[in-house]
Amino acid sequence: METWKEFDANEVTHSVAHHLLAIHELGREYGGWARVSDIARQLDITRGSVSINLRSIKARGLVAEDDRRQVKLSPKGLRIAHGLMAKKTAMKAFMRQVLGIAEDEADVDSCKIEHLLGDVMAERLVHLLRFLLSDDPAAVDAMKRFRQFKKECPESKTCPVCDGQCLIEELAAAAK
Amino acid sequence: MKDPKRNELVEELHRLMAEELEAFLRYFQLRYRLRGVDRLAAENFFDKAREETLEHAEAIASHIRVLGETPKLNIKLEVGGGAISLKDALADALIFEQQALDAYKDMLPRVEGDPGLEDFIRKQIATETEHVQEITMLLE
């Protein structure tokens, strides 16, 4: 499958991820049950939109609905929500503690990525974080060296990351 | 400084107006997704529904103005999809109407004691209840 098509095959879209996480958060104090009106308020969309979105989420067995139209995550939905939260936490920790990105920016960026991150990648990321943030002298040294690492690119085109095309320059141009 | 309860009421009215206007847009698009005999059979129903949701939104906007505020609209909507059967379109309509009914019911305790708004919300509850019953019957 071509890589870009995998976005469509992704089990959880950004919208579905937000609905599942909202239900999970709102339902905490009510045995897992959340009202459509509260989900709408939390996601800043209308109740109509929430209900339309929930229809396909229900059809996929990720949420259950009671006769008062309250919804609750199914075991499968709960598993996905926990996975999303774990991926977001790992991504945010990496951004904050390794890359040194500001809290707000890390929050937004980790939110954008959480549902796209594969399970293997997330697991490896957690292990990398565990290593980098551990007391292992090699990790302490690596973090120290990374923070002191010169941001400026070398004059020569020998950078092992960029492979002849300066990515920093490309990113700076795209940000303009 | 404005009364926080009054601010909350205005916010709720903004949300109600958004529900109605979003339903209006969804009805607008649904009508053109119907094909063939389904379209002929349902055109009037969806035209009427579209007109009514717009009227409701206008009525809410007027109430917001009476409260001294300017209507504020917050809708994030992208509707797609191909041809749709009448049954599926009615199932969508039932969702819009049911959510509108629930929203008006939730609004009622907030407006009790305000003769103009209370009367309006009660009438809306009656109207939306009728719509929900009518669509439910059509789907049976």
Side-chain angles (χ1 to χ4, degrees), chain A residues 12-23 39 43 84 111 114:
Chain A
V12 179
T13 63
H14 196 221
S15 165
V16 170
H18 275 260
H19 281 71
L20 297 181
L21 293 174
I23 296 166
I39 301 167
L43 299 180
L84 288 166
C111 172
E114 69 200 359

Side-chain angles (χ1 to χ4, degrees), chain B residues 114-133:
Chain B
D114 179 324
L117 263 174
E118 187 177 336
D119 184 47
F120 169 68
I121 298 293
R122 285 191 189 281
K123 277 182 187 156
Q124 290 303 102
I125 290 172
T127 305
E128 300 295 352
T129 302
E130 218 172 88
H131 290 170
V132 167
Q133 284 169 347

Side-chain angles (χ1 to χ4, degrees), chain A residues 53-65:
Chain A
N53 297 339
L54 282 176
R55 189 171 50 184
S56 63
I57 298 173
K58 269 185 280 181
R60 287 165 57 190
L62 303 182
V63 297
E65 187 180 53

Side-chain angles (χ1 to χ4, degrees), chain A residues 35-37 40-41 43-53 55 68-69, chain B residues 12 15 18-19 22 26 74 76-77 88 91-92 95-96 98-99 102-103 106:
Chain A
R35 298 188 314 172
V36 169
S37 56
R41 203 179 297 259
L43 299 180
D44 197 22
I45 57 177
T46 63
R47 296 173 183 228
S49 279
V50 171
S51 292
I52 293 283
N53 297 339
R55 189 171 50 184
R68 292 161 62 203
R69 287 180 295 284
Chain B
E12 286 302 319
R15 286 196 189 95
E19 293 287 345
E22 189 176 299
R26 287 185 185 276
N74 179 12
K76 297 176 186 75
L77 182 66
D88 286 344
D92 276 9
I95 288 178
F96 315 150
Q98 185 65 62
Q99 285 308 323
D102 289 349
D106 286 351

Side-chain angles (χ1 to χ4, degrees), chain B:
Chain B
M1 203 166 134
K2 285 179 180 171
D3 174 10
K5 273 191 177 171
R6 186 183 162 285
N7 288 351
E8 244 177 66
L9 173 66
V10 172
E11 280 311 305
E12 286 302 319
L13 286 169
H14 282 139
R15 286 196 189 95
L16 267 181
M17 188 181 69
E19 293 287 345
E20 293 286 7
L21 280 173
E22 189 176 299
F24 164 78
L25 293 169
R26 287 185 185 276
Y27 275 127
F28 171 85
Q29 196 249 7
L30 263 184
R31 181 185 185 276
Y32 291 96
R33 288 173 66 191
L34 292 165
R35 293 286 185 276
V37 180
D38 278 354
R39 185 178 67 84
L40 284 176
E43 217 163 42
N44 280 345
F45 173 86
F46 283 96
D47 279 346
K48 194 175 155 230
R50 197 182 52 177
E51 281 165 22
E52 283 190 9
T53 50
L54 188 57
E55 280 168 18
H56 296 171
E58 282 172 345
I60 297 165
S62 297
H63 281 287
I64 293 171
R65 193 170 55 185
V66 167
L67 289 167
E69 301 289 337
T70 308
K72 190 173 71 184
L73 186 58
N74 179 12
I75 292 179
K76 297 176 186 75
L77 182 66
E78 188 182 325
V79 282
I84 191 170
S85 71
L86 179 54
K87 196 179 170 194
D88 286 344
L90 286 171
D92 276 9
L94 182 59
I95 288 178
F96 315 150
E97 300 295 341
Q98 185 65 62
Q99 285 308 323
L101 173 59
D102 289 349
Y104 284 116
K105 280 182 177 172
D106 286 351
M107 188 72 174
L108 188 58
R110 290 180 187 272
V111 297
E112 274 166 348
D114 179 324
L117 263 174
E118 187 177 336
D119 184 47
F120 169 68
I121 298 293
R122 285 191 189 281
K123 277 182 187 156
Q124 290 303 102
I125 290 172
T127 305
E128 300 295 352
T129 302
E130 218 172 88
H131 290 170
V132 167
Q133 284 169 347
E134 190 187 345
I135 299 170
T136 305
M137 202 174 65
L138 287 169
L139 282 168
E140 274 169 5

